[in-house]
């Protein structure tokens, strides 16, 4: 478990798709603490991507190839029982934009 947690912390410096993938995989982790952390990070990323806030006038543009974005969308659907439908809908719309 410590190795997974340390690896996840290292991803904080990576691009959004890498953090999103890691967060979704961690949300599916059998360890409840790690799963909560992954879920919280994915929900935050989805909300940030889904709407601008007062400091940002536009939403971030998804990066990566169409195949990579499709793979992330499939992973989001797989993690739907943990992430919730609202989060998965936000992610799917953002990744398809």
């Amino acid at each position: 478990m410590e190795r997974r947690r340390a690896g996840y912390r290292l991803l904080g410096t990576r691009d959004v798709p890498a953090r999103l993938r890691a967060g979704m995989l961690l949300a599916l982790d059998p360890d409840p603490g790690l799963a909560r952390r992954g879920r919280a990070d994915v929900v935050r990323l989805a909300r940030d991507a889904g709407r601008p806030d007062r400091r940002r006038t536009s939403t971030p543009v998804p990066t990566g190839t169409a195949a990579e974005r499709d793979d992330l969308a499939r992973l989001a659907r797989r993690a739907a029982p943990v992430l919730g439908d609202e989060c998965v809908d936000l992610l799917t719309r953002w990744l398809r934009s």
Side-chain angles (χ1 to χ4, degrees):
M1 181 176 85
E2 289 303 316
R3 219 178 252 175
R4 290 191 311 263
R5 183 177 299 160
Y8 188 67
R9 277 191 295 240
L10 287 173
L11 284 170
T13 60
R14 300 291 306 213
D15 59 356
V16 172
R19 291 192 333 240
L20 185 57
R21 177 182 303 287
M24 286 190 283
L25 290 172
L26 199 61
L28 296 169
D29 196 275
D31 180 84
L34 292 176
R36 269 192 309 275
R37 173 71 185 265
R39 181 187 182 283
D41 287 350
V42 170
V43 168
R44 180 187 50 78
L45 286 167
R47 288 182 178 156
D48 287 352
R51 63 177 184 258
D53 65 15
R54 67 181 183 274
R55 294 178 303 258
R56 195 175 64 226
T57 58
S58 64
T59 57
V61 176
T63 59
T65 66
E68 290 168 336
R69 291 192 309 267
D70 287 345
D71 187 46
L72 286 172
R74 280 192 296 279
L75 184 55
R77 286 190 299 275
R78 191 175 121 216
V82 177
L83 299 175
D85 292 334
E86 179 186 358
C87 179
V88 172
D89 289 344
L90 284 170
L91 285 172
T92 303
R93 279 196 307 267
W94 178 66
L95 291 166
R96 302 265 185 243
S97 63

